């Protein structure tokens, strides 16, 4: 049981490039979400999903897309990377309770 | 506008002494609160929670106190140990299992 896994661990992009951050969970959780962590701002919700085929925007969705074709996977796409998207990204899943289980994070730098 | 606030970015405490971390919230509809602990290069992990029907919840060395009239909660760690050095986030569920996080408090336990 691996829990929540994220790849890659580190990534450097140039402004304007696109990429996908991968997230997978093996706990059969319906609820999944993406957060970004920035200094002095805690974790802010980007997008979330309450089940396969259902996604919605969180607090800071601009510049990001998500899809949820399976219960297990919830990829986050950066369409055209900007320096403001330099951050640490965490994926989380939940069985439908208030407790969420987080992955180890992806540290992204946009030059 | 942050609904959950942690106004102390850092806390340094001697090993064996008490650590007190504070959290304030603005939404009186919040009825459940969670504390997460985060080590460097890892995702946050759930530590302890409290429901608004209680004013105290204890789990080993960790106790959370809730003062609903003041919209304030605190996390007490007694006694503090070097392994407690981490960032601690206070969080509250908003709706659809979304969590609103505080900015975090970095705790350093000195030997």
């Amino acid at each position: 049981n691996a829990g929540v896994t994220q790849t890659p661990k580190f990534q450097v992009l140039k402004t304007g490039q696109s990429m996908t951050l991968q997230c997978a969970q093996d706990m059969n959780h319906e609820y999944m979400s993406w957060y970004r962590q920035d200094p002095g701002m805690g974790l802010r919700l980007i997008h979330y999903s309450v089940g396969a085929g259902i996604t919605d925007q969180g607090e800071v969705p601009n510049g990001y897309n998500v899809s949820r074709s399976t219960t297990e996977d919830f990829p986050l796409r950066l369409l055209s990377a900007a320096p403001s998207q330099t951050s640490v990204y965490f994926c989380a899943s939940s069985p439908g309770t208030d407790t969420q289980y987080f992955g180890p994070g992806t540290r992204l730098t946009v030059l | 506008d942050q609904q959950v606030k942690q106004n102390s970015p850092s806390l340094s405490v001697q090993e064996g002494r008490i650590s007190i971390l504070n959290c304030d919230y603005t939404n009186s509809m919040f009825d459940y609160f969670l504390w997460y602990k985060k080590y460097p290069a890892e995702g946050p992990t759930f530590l302890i929670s409290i429901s608004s029907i209680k004013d105290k919840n204890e789990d080993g060395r960790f106790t959370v106190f809730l003062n609903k009239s003041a919209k304030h909660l605190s996390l007490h760690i007694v006694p503090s140990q070097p392994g407690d050095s981490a960032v601690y986030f206070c969080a509250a569920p908003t709706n659809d299992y979304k969590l609103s996080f505080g900015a975090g408090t970095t705790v350093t336990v000195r030997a």
Side-chain angles (χ1 to χ4, degrees):
Chain A
N1 189 330
V4 179
T5 57
Q6 292 182 238
T7 56
K9 283 188 171 21
F10 302 95
Q11 183 70 50
V12 179
L13 293 177
K14 294 182 179 177
T15 297
Q17 287 185 314
S18 63
M19 79 159 295
T20 299
L21 278 63
Q22 301 292 344
C23 174
Q25 53 96 4
D26 60 1
M27 298 175 282
N28 202 33
H29 288 171
E30 288 297 321
Y31 183 84
M32 296 186 74
S33 54
W34 277 101
Y35 293 85
R36 59 178 288 175
Q37 184 195 2
D38 301 293
M41 304 194 75
L43 289 97
R44 293 182 292 168
L45 183 65
I46 305 171
H47 284 285
Y48 68 102
S49 169
V50 297
I54 307 170
T55 64
D56 206 346
Q57 296 182 351
E59 190 183 346
V60 288
N62 292 340
Y64 308 95
N65 270 359
V66 292
S67 59
R68 184 95 180 270
S69 55
T70 66
T71 300
E72 294 77 20
D73 300 300
F74 190 43
L76 178 73
R77 296 183 189 83
L78 279 71
L79 309 172
S80 176
S84 61
Q85 293 178 304
T86 293
S87 187
V88 182
Y89 292 84
F90 291 100
C91 179
S93 73
S94 169
T97 66
D98 292 319
T99 303
Q100 297 193 18
Y101 300 84
F102 287 83
T106 294
R107 185 175 293 274
L108 175 69
T109 301
V110 182
L111 303 174
Chain B
D1 188 29
Q2 271 196 310
Q3 299 187 74
V4 178
K5 299 178 183 180
Q6 294 175 258
N7 293 319
S8 297
S10 63
L11 171 69
S12 181
V13 65
Q14 190 82 29
E15 181 179 1
R17 306 294 290 267
I18 184 172
S19 295
I20 300 176
L21 291 75
N22 293 305
C23 177
D24 297 295
Y25 59 96
T26 58
N27 190 336
S28 57
M29 299 298 291
F30 286 164
D31 60 4
Y32 190 73
F33 302 90
L34 306 94
W35 285 91
Y36 280 82
K37 179 178 181 178
K38 184 186 177 306
Y39 291 118
E42 295 184 12
T45 55
F46 170 74
L47 181 62
I48 191 169
S49 62
I50 187 165
S51 164
S52 62
I53 63 172
K54 295 185 174 182
D55 54 16
K56 175 183 172 181
N57 188 28
E58 190 172 353
D59 184 0
R61 297 184 296 111
F62 302 90
T63 303
V64 56
F65 296 91
L66 176 61
N67 182 334
K68 292 187 289 292
S69 61
K71 297 197 190 76
H72 176 83
L73 60 155
S74 61
L75 174 68
H76 292 210
I77 307 173
V78 184
S80 300
Q81 298 175 354
D84 297 329
S85 295
V87 180
Y88 291 80
F89 293 100
C90 173
T94 53
N95 51 53
D96 282 348
Y97 310 110
K98 291 185 283 189
L99 287 177
S100 179
F101 283 87
T105 297
T106 300
V107 172
T108 303
V109 180
R110 309 185 309 272

